[in-house]
Amino acid sequence: MSNEIIDGIIKAFELIFSGDPTVIDITSRTILISFGATALCMLWSLPTAIVLSQKRFRGKIFIKGMFNALLGIPTTALGLILFLLLSKSGPLGFLHILYTPTAIIFGQAVLITPIAVSLVTNAIEAIDPEIRNLAKTLGASELEASLTVLGESTSGVGLAVIASFNRAIAELGVALMVGGNISGYTRVLTTTIALDTNKGEIVLSIALTIILLLIVTGLSLVVNLAQRGKT
Amino acid sequence: MTCIVELVDVTKEYGAINALDKANLKVETGEVLALIGPNGSGKTTLLRIVSGIETPTQGEMYFQEEKINSRNNDKLTKNITMVFQKTVMFTGTVYDNIAYGLKLKGHTKNNVATKVKEVLQTVKLEGFEKRSARKLSGGEQQRVAIARALALDTKVLLLDEPTANIDPKNASLIEDILQAVSKHRKTIIVATQNMAQAGNLASRVAVLNRGRIERVGRSQEVFRSPSKFLAGFARLENVFSGVSKTTEEGTTVVDIGSGVSIVSTLEKSGAVTIFIRPEDIILSAEPLISSARNVFKGRISEISDLGSIVKLKVSIGKDFVVQVTRKSFNEMALNLGSSVYLAFKASSVQAV
């Protein structure tokens, strides 16, 4: 068994460095999909976080609590809900996106929304509340003041983006259930690893796992260094 | 004179607290008005309402005779700027901070650079453009904050206790800067707890007490007969009333009673009220040979320890408050009853 693992690791590195087309294909698709999901998620999460952190309104604590509670939502549970929504007879069936990369992007975006909203809200709340007032006394409109506050919390927002991306790229449930793991179309790193391990194709699984780990840790490292660089 | 800012029965409630209680105030174009009152009297709240970052709970606010509501609130934020008591800096350089408002106004890059250089000169921080703003000392940050506000050249400038919590050196620098700025016929409202500062900068004073405006009037009138309330908190020391006479040399001599006469450069004769700031008085254990026109011998009658600074009361017939650093206090081996000499320049004597 242990020989098999060491063997697998050696072959895995060979696969990675030989530029195997399957590995490249799956890796690039995975990155594109999770990147798309993160971008889509930020589109609605940033404004939500700005409102949650800056405005006073009724039910705010409830909404914040809800996002916090959803931080750890099981991916399979969300996968099933999205499957039901997107399937032909479901309320969103008319979109015809089930088993497409679009479905995974949408699904992962929903999945990481609680993380993005919670982390960005915290990041903005950590900024001196007077920054917003300062911006306004210097002539900024409400929107410009909000953007300034967001700009002041760049490092926190950056962290939120990375954490969201990492959750998206590492999840299995949503990609499997609404993507369908179709070879060459919706197959991503996690779904391939799960499938190939079941099939006994341990080498490809190990290669892809190493890639997944490299992406997740590498990205965090780069952001960490970039933040240390600036004052 | 036209009225630029007007508050009519403005009330501001924070929960159960009435920070401002039916405040009425008219500020004229080009005047320097001081808001004087202790902590919690509503000075900051009033400034924040005028600046447009807070809205009154009740009452009306007018800017250039136009009533302000939620829709035209930008009339305030675009024409009025404020320097906060607690300095707030954006991340980035001093340049970034000062350029912020100018960029919003759509100034060209060259224009911004020129303006930044100009205002940094005004606050005596030439060449500080590339420094990281948050790494500056508190006093320097406050000067950047003033430069940032001045750069915009707004119609009204609001200053919230600009020298509170600032070291004495920076505080007097800031006072000089503001003194120069206040001569530019710009409308300024300055909140302060310091009567000397109010007297130096402002032509009119509004006294605030528990959210109410107790009194509004010309600085001299308000300070000549300060209410018990005003005298109770305002940090004004060495205030004496007396009769001033012009001498042949062109100076004046103020007889403040008890055999004490003070030489001043004030161009005023007759009844005056004067003050000398404790930091302007030099204390010495030996007789002094100096250019100071006022030298008195006296005895220490009171010592109060303020940390790095020691405050002394010296009786020369009248009681004078003097401050020295703890180091020189120790070096001079001073005690209660010690004989000391006081010296101050004729130009350090100010009228209220």
Side-chain angles (χ1 to χ4, degrees):
Chain A
M1 185 66 192
S2 66
N3 271 347
E4 202 178 74
I5 295 176
I6 294 169
D7 219 35
I9 293 177
I10 294 169
K11 281 191 181 153
F13 275 105
E14 278 173 18
L15 261 184
I16 296 170
F17 289 108
S18 66
D20 181 82
T22 317
V23 172
I24 292 178
D25 177 58
I26 295 174
T27 307
S28 52
R29 179 180 311 113
T30 305
I31 292 176
L32 280 178
I33 286 179
S34 294
F35 180 80
T38 311
L40 181 65
C41 158
M42 287 302 157
L43 225 55
W44 60 61
S45 296
L46 288 182
T48 310
I50 289 175
V51 171
L52 278 180
S53 55
Q54 306 269 295
K55 302 277 177 217
R56 271 180 248 162
F57 58 89
R58 247 191 208 183
K60 176 169 149 171
I61 293 173
F62 174 75
I63 294 175
K64 278 170 119 178
M66 198 186 67
F67 278 116
N68 278 325
L70 288 175
L71 278 176
I73 186 172
T75 56
T76 37
L78 182 65
L80 177 63
I81 294 167
L82 289 169
F83 174 82
L84 294 174
L85 286 174
L86 296 173
S87 63
K88 263 187 190 157
S89 51
L92 295 177
F94 66 92
L95 292 171
H96 299 294
I97 58 166
L98 192 63
Y99 301 140
T100 64
T102 313
I104 308 181
I105 291 178
F106 177 68
Q108 288 186 344
V110 173
L111 173 74
I112 61 180
T113 296
I115 297 186
V117 170
S118 294
L119 290 184
V120 176
T121 305
N122 286 345
I124 298 176
E125 280 175 346
I127 299 298
D128 189 339
E130 286 290 88
I131 283 280
R132 188 189 178 80
N133 290 330
L134 172 65
K136 279 164 85 177
T137 61
L138 295 172
S141 65
E142 289 287 341
L143 180 66
E144 286 162 341
S146 292
L147 290 176
T148 302
V149 173
L150 200 59
E152 286 290 315
S153 45
T154 330
S155 55
V157 174
L159 200 73
V161 171
I162 297 303
S164 307
F165 178 83
N166 281 352
R167 166 102 159 135
I169 204 167
E171 72 83 29
L172 173 68
V174 173
L176 199 62
M177 294 170 86
V178 300
N181 200 18
I182 303 165
S183 175
Y185 186 50
T186 58
R187 188 160 293 181
V188 292
L189 284 172
T190 51
T191 55
T192 317
I193 293 166
L195 184 74
D196 282 21
T197 308
N198 273 344
K199 287 198 304 192
E201 299 222 17
I202 211 78
V203 174
L204 185 61
S205 288
I206 293 178
L208 296 182
T209 304
I210 291 171
I211 292 176
L212 187 59
L213 287 173
L214 282 177
I215 294 173
V216 170
T217 51
L219 204 56
S220 305
L221 200 69
V222 168
V223 170
N224 213 319
L225 289 177
Q227 274 171 10
R228 205 168 289 179
K230 71 171 200 182
T231 46
Chain B
M1 280 279 194
T2 52
C3 176
I4 187 158
V5 169
E6 186 177 3
L7 280 77
V8 179
D9 283 337
V10 168
T11 297
K12 178 73 185 177
E13 292 164 7
Y14 293 108
I17 299 160
N18 253 6
L20 264 188
D21 193 2
K22 290 195 175 161
N24 287 286
L25 188 66
K26 275 186 177 181
V27 184
E28 283 162 9
T29 312
E31 81 164 328
V32 180
L33 174 84
L35 302 177
I36 193 158
N39 286 330
S41 60
K43 304 187 298 291
T44 300
T45 306
L46 196 154
L47 289 182
R48 287 170 79 93
I49 286 174
V50 174
S51 74
I53 54 180
E54 300 273 3
T55 45
T57 317
Q58 266 170 50
E60 284 141 29
M61 155 93 202
Y62 294 86
F63 178 73
Q64 291 184 322
E65 278 157 25
E66 190 177 341
K67 192 174 163 185
I68 298 300
N69 52 43
S70 58
R71 267 169 291 111
N72 62 4
N73 190 54
D74 62 336
K75 281 259 168 5
L76 300 181
T77 54
K78 298 235 184 284
N79 290 303
I80 299 177
T81 192
M82 174 159 167
V83 175
F84 297 117
Q85 177 181 358
K86 187 182 141 257
T87 322
V88 189
M89 290 281 130
F90 295 124
T91 348
T93 62
V94 168
Y95 184 93
D96 296 336
N97 267 276
I98 301 175
Y100 180 88
L102 295 168
K103 283 180 186 162
L104 287 179
K105 282 195 169 177
H107 283 268
T108 62
K109 216 177 165 191
N110 278 338
N111 211 334
V112 172
T114 321
K115 201 86 195 161
V116 171
K117 204 172 171 195
E118 193 185 305
V119 288
L120 278 177
Q121 247 161 24
T122 312
V123 299
K124 302 190 174 68
L125 288 174
E126 293 97 336
F128 269 57
E129 280 96 337
K130 288 185 180 149
R131 300 276 289 271
S132 172
R134 290 203 177 137
K135 286 189 179 160
L136 300 178
S137 75
E140 286 167 343
Q141 285 194 15
Q142 185 70 322
R143 277 149 72 192
V144 172
I146 292 170
R148 188 171 57 192
L150 289 177
L152 294 176
D153 206 16
T154 49
K155 291 192 170 119
V156 182
L157 175 63
L158 309 175
L159 303 160
D160 192 4
E161 301 205 34
T163 55
N165 317 323
I166 303 276
D167 63 280
K169 197 180 145 216
N170 271 300
S172 75
L173 237 169
I174 288 172
E175 285 196 348
D176 291 346
I177 295 163
L178 297 179
Q179 189 91 53
V181 171
S182 66
K183 298 221 161 73
H184 287 139
R185 312 199 50 151
K186 186 196 257 306
T187 313
I188 299 176
I189 309 178
V190 54
T192 182
Q193 297 194 31
N194 186 325
M195 269 167 82
Q197 189 172 62
N200 276 339
L201 295 174
S203 48
R204 279 203 313 148
V205 180
V207 181
L208 270 90
N209 183 12
R210 290 197 204 157
R212 286 174 173 274
I213 295 181
E214 256 197 355
R215 193 171 165 192
V216 186
R218 305 204 63 76
S219 326
Q220 292 98 321
E221 286 157 24
V222 174
F223 293 153
R224 193 164 297 147
S225 56
S227 61
K228 224 179 185 178
F229 164 74
L230 181 58
F233 74 86
R235 286 192 228 110
L236 195 59
E237 285 154 328
N238 301 331
V239 190
F240 305 103
S241 291
V243 181
S244 166
K245 273 184 197 149
T246 313
T247 65
E248 286 167 3
E249 303 159 40
T251 55
T252 44
V253 174
V254 186
D255 181 356
I256 58 169
S258 308
V260 182
S261 289
I262 291 173
V263 182
S264 86
T265 51
L266 300 173
E267 289 165 0
K268 226 176 176 184
S269 47
V272 286
T273 303
I274 56 165
F275 68 92
I276 302 111
R277 301 202 295 191
E279 52 268 42
D280 287 341
I281 302 177
I282 292 169
L283 184 79
S284 159
E286 308 287 332
L288 274 168
I289 301 165
S290 80
S291 65
R293 298 294 309 276
N294 295 290
V295 180
F296 301 99
K297 191 182 178 191
R299 275 181 196 285
I300 296 177
S301 59
E302 210 178 295
I303 299 175
S304 44
D305 193 343
L306 302 174
S308 62
I309 281 177
V310 179
K311 217 170 220 185
L312 306 171
K313 200 175 257 182
V314 177
S315 176
I316 59 167
K318 289 278 182 185
D319 282 344
F320 273 71
V321 175
V322 191
Q323 59 187 44
V324 291
T325 61
R326 163 152 292 281
K327 196 161 171 262
S328 33
F329 178 78
N330 291 339
E331 278 169 9
M332 288 161 75
L334 298 175
N335 268 315
L336 267 180
S338 298
S339 246
V340 287
Y341 292 85
L342 302 183
F344 52 90
K345 293 180 169 185
S347 57
S348 296
V349 180
Q350 303 183 53
V352 292

